[in-house]
Every structure is written in structure tokens, then in C-alpha cells.
Amino acid sequence: MNDTILHDERIAKMTFASVYPHYVTKVEKKGRTIDELHKVIQWLTGFDQKALQKLIDEKATFEQFFQEATLNQNAHLITGVICGYRIEEIKNPLTQKTRYLDKLVDELAKGRKMDKILRTI
């Protein structure tokens, strides 16, 4: 088993609830709001705040999280490097979706304009 398979399995089993506080901290440290974070998450997944809280309370894994999500049709426009991986080259669909979310949170924290983050034209 190679490192990529282990990495993909680790992401699949990680809970959204364990990562969400880090997203909040990251964006708030950079002067962004939880509402903006929720807007970004909702754009990608379709989850409103109530649905997010349910997934957090249930300690849903990223595998469960993205099984329930309705991925935005423009998610494929999310490109670039995050955590050392070029998003558009990631082969595992779940890992790619998770990195989409990481990239959006990163862009929010870096002060990118919301219309650019949400890939509106």
C-alpha cells in the first residue's frame, strides 16, 4: 500500500467536526466571519447552517459528509495547490472534494473576494 492510499483513507475517516474548528480559527484570525465560512461551505456542498451542525453533532466522516453533499456544478473550477497537492490532478474523488473545501477556506482566509471564491463570472 503506498502513501497516497493511506492518505486517502485517513481523509475518508477524518471527521468534519474535528476539522471545522480549525476552519473557523483560520478565517477569524484573518478577519473573516463564520457567516462567510458557512457561505463558502454551502456554495460547495449545499449544506446550510442547520445541516452543517447536524453533521458536526453526528461526527460525520468526510466520506459521509461528501456522500450527503450536493457538490456545486462549478466545483471543477477550483484549481491550484493546497497542502502540497495540485487539486486538479488528485485522482481520488473524495480527497479531491476535501481539498476543494480546504482551498476555498484558504482563499477566504487570504482575503480573496467572495465572488472570486464562489467562482461567479
Side-chain angles (χ1 to χ4, degrees):
M1 195 180 299
N2 67 30
D3 290 341
T4 302
I5 292 170
L6 291 173
H7 176 78
D8 293 340
E9 288 175 0
R10 197 183 108 227
I11 287 175
K13 292 176 182 169
M14 193 178 307
T15 65
F16 178 74
S18 69
V19 177
Y20 177 75
H22 298 288
Y23 290 157
V24 171
T25 300
K26 185 174 191 168
V27 300
E28 286 185 330
K29 270 187 181 178
K30 299 295 185 166
R32 301 306 286 258
T33 67
I34 292 175
D35 285 342
E36 288 174 309
L37 174 63
H38 288 171
K39 185 174 182 177
V40 166
I41 294 171
Q42 186 169 5
W43 177 85
L44 180 64
T45 65
F47 296 136
D48 61 14
Q49 191 170 345
K50 185 178 177 183
L52 269 183
Q53 190 58 54
K54 182 177 179 269
L55 290 163
I56 290 168
D57 293 344
E58 292 174 349
K59 297 191 181 346
T61 63
F62 272 103
E63 184 172 31
Q64 295 163 329
F65 181 88
F66 281 108
Q67 281 176 347
E68 293 186 32
T70 303
L71 208 64
N72 188 291
Q73 65 184 10
N74 289 330
H76 69 279
L77 299 174
I78 304 167
T79 60
V81 177
I82 189 77
C83 301
Y85 297 92
R86 180 152 291 285
I87 294 171
E88 55 273 28
E89 294 175 0
I90 296 173
K91 302 280 188 249
N92 182 289
L94 175 61
T95 301
Q96 186 177 52
K97 291 172 190 173
T98 304
R99 295 304 180 199
Y100 283 160
L101 181 56
D102 291 343
K103 182 70 172 177
L104 294 177
V105 172
D106 196 47
E107 289 177 354
L108 183 64
K110 287 183 176 178
R112 194 165 192 205
K113 292 183 179 185
M114 193 61 80
D115 63 329
K116 298 288 186 193
I117 296 170
L118 303 182
R119 297 347 193 228
T120 55
I121 297 170

